[in-house]
């Protein structure tokens, strides 16, 4: 039988990989000076923020982890869709990491915390 933390480990790893990829992509987009990559960079930063927050709630096995996973999956998909519009290697790596993170978060996105419940 697996413990809750073992069950959440693949999701934490996927979030960590997406966090790194989105930060690297945002950095490359910003440094490129290409204004067409501005939307990509901003979405990367939003995605990085939710990935980091999701890692935190997963690591402490928060009762709200499913809520974070649902939003993380949503933003990872949006980020992947934007990155797939570009041919840069950093965008391709980011899209791949974000797709994997969205899939891992989908596993827990249904484990939502009921409003009014204590925990």
């Amino acid at each position: 039988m697996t413990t809750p933390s073992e069950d959440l480990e693949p999701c934490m790893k996927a979030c960590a990989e997406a966090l790194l990829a989105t930060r690297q992509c945002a950095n490359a987009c910003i440094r490129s000076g290409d204004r067409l990559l501005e939307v990509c960079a901003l979405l990367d930063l939003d995605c990085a923020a939710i990935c980091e927050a999701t890692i935190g709630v997963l690591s402490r096995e928060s009762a709200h982890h499913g809520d974070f996973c649902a939003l993380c999956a949503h933003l990872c998909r949006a980020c992947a869709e934007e990155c797939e519009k570009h041919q840069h290697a950093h965008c391709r790596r980011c899209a791949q990491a974000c797709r994997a993170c969205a899939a891992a978060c989908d596993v827990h996105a249904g484990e939502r915390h009921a409003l009014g419940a204590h925990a």
Side-chain angles (χ1 to χ4, degrees):
M1 184 172 150
T2 62
T3 65
S5 60
E6 288 173 337
D7 184 45
L8 299 174
E9 185 71 27
C11 192
M12 284 189 277
K13 284 183 156 185
C15 286
E17 290 172 12
L19 173 61
L20 178 62
T22 54
R23 285 183 175 167
Q24 290 173 335
C25 188
N27 183 49
C29 288
I30 292 166
R31 289 181 182 271
S32 75
D34 184 348
R35 294 290 303 220
L36 297 175
L37 295 176
E38 188 175 290
V39 170
C40 188
L42 291 170
L43 196 47
D44 285 332
L45 295 174
D46 286 347
C47 194
I50 192 60
C51 286
E52 187 170 26
T54 302
I55 292 166
V57 297
L58 289 169
S59 68
R60 62 181 174 272
E61 298 178 25
S62 168
H64 299 277
H65 72 273
D67 300 298
F68 279 77
C69 285
L71 182 55
C72 191
H74 171 76
L75 283 173
C76 279
R77 279 192 186 84
C79 190
E81 286 176 16
E82 178 60 33
C83 282
E84 287 165 351
K85 295 176 184 176
H86 311 287
Q87 296 303 312
H88 306 287
H90 58 85
C91 286
R92 287 193 308 271
R93 283 190 304 272
C94 186
Q96 183 178 12
C98 284
R99 292 273 180 213
C101 185
C105 281
D106 280 342
V107 172
H108 301 289
E111 300 165 6
R112 307 290 294 272
H113 186 265
L115 292 177
H118 300 286

